[in-house]
Amino acid sequence: MTSIAITGGTLVDASGERFGDLLITGDRIAAIGSFEIPATAEIIDATGLNVAPGLVDLGVFAVERAACATGGITRIALMPDQSPPLDDSGLVQRAALAAKPYLWVHPLAAATRDLAGIELAELAMMQKSGAKAVATGRTWIADSGTMRRVLSYAGSLGMTVIVHAEDGGLTGNAVATAGETATRHGFTAAPAIAEAMAIARDILLAEETGAAIHFRQVTTAAGFERIKRAKSRGAKVTCGVTPAHLLLSDIAVSDFRTFARLSPPLRSEDDRQATSTALADGTIDVLCSGHDPRGPEAKRLPFADAEPGMAGAETLLTLGLGLVRDELITLPRLMALLSDAPSRILGVDAGHLETGAPADLCLFDLNAPWQIRGSKFKSFAGNTPFDGLPVQGRAVRTIKGGRTIS
């Protein structure tokens, strides 16, 4: 069986940082720390690099193995918003196999048929076919009775329900957050409280049914306050955020920049700062890319007509390292956000550096300078709101199941 020894690097995962070597045999980590390197082993010199678990990106909309490899991502949780939606066991099974052997794809089962929010999908069958969690898709489920049944059904199966938190009755066809920027540009806007409204209802239903719920992207002070209270009560509630909502406010949509049109939309500066506070105090559990590549036909349109979404897989790690450099979080905390916590939510064995764990790794250079250029992305689309931004830090090698992938 082939062995690979990674030497000279700094090992980092959610448990901390330490110096040591790492030995891979087959598709598993065979040893960590100090050990005798087999004479036949391939040696990877990681001097000056960090060796971390492969990133687990929770909630992406497209399977793009090259983009993921470039960003250090070894696993994705695929949203059910596909064509057709992942509301059938056969579709889930096919999606799970879509990128083997280069990328782990964990499909998220559609909570309702066609993601229409009316009739429950057959969650048990999809779980047997490989679905690791349940998701409501790009929107919330308006009918509270249906949402309660989804939570009850998923909870009985031990599956987390991943939700989009915006009250659709308030957001309607809005394309921006209500405020000075939206008013100045004439955008159709919705109040940010739409997020907290949805979170409040879904937390109550989750607590009542005992189900685990994950809010995929939370972006407002009012939303975080409700999640913090629920956690203090012991509710099975987690939440995530993207680097865009941490680093950008609604001012980024000025000049009608469609690459900054996201869902949920970029918020006010006060809410952006509340998001940073929630990351620092531990309220936020997951940092995800929100990877949703959109081509020119979807973005080269008037702002109100453009589709929301960004290509985030190739910048997730880099922008996360910027949060460490700004001393908002530590490097082990970043690894918890990027790999350990999403693995726990999905219930997969990943996100940690331990003997016997899967050999899914990301080797990255903390200090490598480069400039984000969407036109150079491996993704089929380069719709990043960070286009042109100078950054530091990037993945230099991604290993999945003991083999380097690209």
Side-chain angles (χ1 to χ4, degrees):
M1 192 173 290
T2 304
S3 292
I4 301 172
I6 301 175
T7 64
T10 301
L11 307 178
V12 57
D13 62 8
S15 67
E17 298 178 68
R18 64 275 194 196
F19 290 103
D21 299 337
L22 186 148
L23 182 67
I24 297 170
T25 300
D27 62 358
R28 295 276 161 176
I29 297 174
I32 291 179
S34 179
F35 51 85
E36 186 175 344
I37 298 175
T40 58
E42 173 190 351
I43 295 178
I44 297 175
D45 183 1
T47 302
L49 302 178
N50 286 88
V51 181
L55 277 55
V56 181
D57 198 0
L58 185 56
V60 308
F61 290 87
V63 179
E64 293 197 295
R65 77 183 205 202
C68 289
T70 302
I73 297 167
T74 53
R75 295 175 187 258
I76 60 170
L78 180 65
M79 292 294 286
D81 312 63
Q82 308 297 309
S83 182
L86 301 181
D87 64 355
D88 173 85
S89 59
L91 296 171
V92 166
Q93 191 171 37
R94 188 187 309 167
L97 300 173
K100 278 192 171 184
Y102 305 100
L103 176 69
W104 291 103
V105 178
H106 300 302
L108 302 179
T112 56
R113 294 198 183 279
D114 288 327
L115 290 169
I118 300 173
E119 182 184 358
L120 264 60
E122 186 45 77
L123 305 184
M125 294 293 289
M126 288 191 280
Q127 184 183 38
K128 288 179 181 177
S129 297
K132 296 298 183 184
V134 179
T136 64
R138 297 182 190 275
T139 61
W140 81 321
I141 293 177
D143 187 294
S144 298
T146 301
M147 187 62 186
R148 183 180 180 278
R149 288 192 291 277
V150 167
L151 286 162
S152 181
Y153 189 5
S156 70
L157 298 171
M159 300 173 82
T160 299
V161 179
I162 298 172
V163 299
H164 179 90
E166 283 187 297
D167 185 318
L170 288 175
T171 56
N173 296 318
V175 299
T177 298
E180 182 180 340
T181 301
T183 300
R184 184 174 298 171
H185 291 82
F187 294 148
T188 304
I193 197 69
E195 181 176 279
M197 294 279 288
I199 290 173
R201 185 204 69 170
D202 288 348
I203 284 177
L204 286 172
L205 292 173
E207 288 188 279
E208 195 262 341
T209 58
I213 190 166
H214 175 75
F215 296 95
R216 188 167 59 87
Q217 296 179 63
V218 180
T219 56
T220 64
F224 289 119
E225 181 59 31
R226 279 148 185 81
I227 287 171
K228 192 180 296 186
R229 288 183 196 168
K231 286 187 172 186
S232 71
R233 296 194 298 268
K236 292 186 282 189
V237 175
T238 53
C239 69
V241 73
T242 70
H245 292 94
L246 277 163
L247 300 172
L248 302 174
S249 71
D250 59 351
I251 293 174
V253 305
S254 298
D255 299 328
F256 305 94
R257 292 182 63 213
T258 58
F259 280 9
R261 183 168 172 214
L262 308 177
S263 176
L266 294 172
R267 303 298 189 182
S268 68
E269 177 61 19
D270 286 347
D271 277 328
R272 190 198 70 77
Q273 291 187 20
T275 305
S276 293
T277 300
L279 185 76
D281 70 15
T283 303
I284 292 174
D285 305 274
V286 171
L287 188 63
C288 60
S289 73
H291 187 63
D292 193 1
R294 301 281 192 173
E297 73 285 353
K299 285 293 188 182
R300 201 170 291 167
L301 295 169
F303 189 87
D305 297 328
E307 295 180 6
M310 63 181 168
E314 294 171 66
T315 56
L316 175 60
L317 175 63
T318 294
L319 296 172
L321 292 174
L323 302 173
V324 175
R325 190 168 293 105
D326 292 342
E327 299 183 346
L328 187 65
I329 55 174
T330 65
L331 196 52
R333 166 83 169 127
L334 178 63
M335 291 303 114
L337 292 160
L338 291 174
S339 54
D340 182 63
S343 298
R344 291 176 187 274
I345 291 168
L346 294 172
V348 297
D349 179 19
H352 48 272
L353 299 180
E354 295 175 4
T355 301
D360 298 339
L361 305 171
C362 168
L363 279 61
F364 63 89
D365 183 341
L366 190 61
N367 299 310
W370 60 293
Q371 187 175 28
I372 296 174
R373 288 293 184 194
S375 59
K376 296 185 181 301
F377 278 4
K378 296 290 180 64
S379 171
F380 89 88
N383 54 307
T384 169
F386 299 102
D387 196 35
L389 181 71
V391 290
Q392 269 184 284
R394 67 187 313 172
V396 298
R397 184 187 289 256
T398 302
I399 297 173
K400 186 258 182 185
R403 60 186 289 181
T404 297
I405 57 175
S406 60

